[in-house]
């Protein structure tokens, strides 16, 4: 019996993963990975002997994209577009967290969207 692989080590962007392992980790075929590379949605870091090497940081995004593919019966081209958008969203969220971390503690960050819900019977100013 093989020991169970844990997902936590894929969170390290400095780790690398081969195409075969990426395929197993994300539950996709190597053919689908090859198509994503052809579309430019997935970029290999280097090409070892005969296997492409990818950043392990793509595992989470790739899993999400292929889960959506399965849920909504999407074709591989649509998954390629989706993967690019998911990657961009993650990068923007990281940038936003970095900017928020640089703000002084007393600065209130106003968020877009509906105002926070308040109890209808609560009166302000007494």
């Amino acid at each position: 019996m093989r020991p169970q692989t844990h997902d936590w080590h894929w969170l390290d962007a400095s780790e690398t993963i081969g195409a075969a392992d990426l395929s197993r980790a994300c539950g996709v075929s190597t053919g689908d990975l090859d198509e994503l590379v052809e579309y430019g949605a997935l970029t290999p870091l280097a090409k070892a002997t005969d296997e492409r090497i990818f950043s392990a940081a793509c595992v989470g995004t790739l899993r999400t994209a292929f889960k959506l593919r399965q849920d909504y019966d999407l074709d591989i081209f649509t998954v390629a577009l989706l993967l690019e958008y998911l990657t961009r969203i993650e990068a923007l969220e990281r940038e936003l967290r970095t900017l928020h971390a640089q703000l002084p503690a007393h600065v209130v960050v106003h968020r877009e969207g509906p105002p926070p819900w308040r109890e209808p019977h609560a009166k302000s100013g007494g």
Side-chain angles (χ1 to χ4, degrees):
M1 183 184 216
R2 271 176 55 175
Q4 186 177 20
T5 305
H6 297 285
D7 293 338
W8 58 266
H9 67 278
W10 297 122
L11 299 176
D12 187 1
S14 65
E15 292 290 322
T16 59
I17 183 171
D21 291 332
L22 182 61
S23 174
R24 273 192 300 278
C26 298
V28 302
S29 71
T30 54
D32 285 346
L33 291 179
D34 291 340
E35 279 192 63
L36 291 175
V37 170
E38 287 175 23
Y39 289 137
L42 190 61
T43 307
L45 296 176
K47 188 170 182 172
T49 54
D50 60 341
E51 185 179 30
R52 292 180 173 146
I53 304 295
F54 298 92
S55 168
C58 71
V59 171
T61 308
L62 201 56
R63 281 182 174 175
T64 302
F66 276 92
K67 171 135 180 34
L68 290 170
R69 179 187 190 189
Q70 183 179 10
D71 291 349
Y72 296 106
D73 195 28
L74 304 174
D75 64 352
I76 193 69
F77 179 76
T78 306
V79 172
L81 291 174
L82 184 63
L83 189 59
E84 289 181 32
Y85 285 121
L86 289 172
T87 303
R88 180 71 178 139
I89 289 168
E90 284 182 4
L92 290 171
E93 286 176 341
R94 268 193 314 274
E95 185 177 337
L96 185 61
R97 281 191 300 272
T98 301
L99 292 172
H100 280 206
Q102 294 173 2
L103 288 175
H106 67 278
V107 175
V108 177
V109 177
H110 297 284
R111 301 184 77 158
E112 289 185 24
W117 185 79
R118 299 197 192 307
E119 288 287 334
H121 63 278
K123 295 182 182 180
S124 59

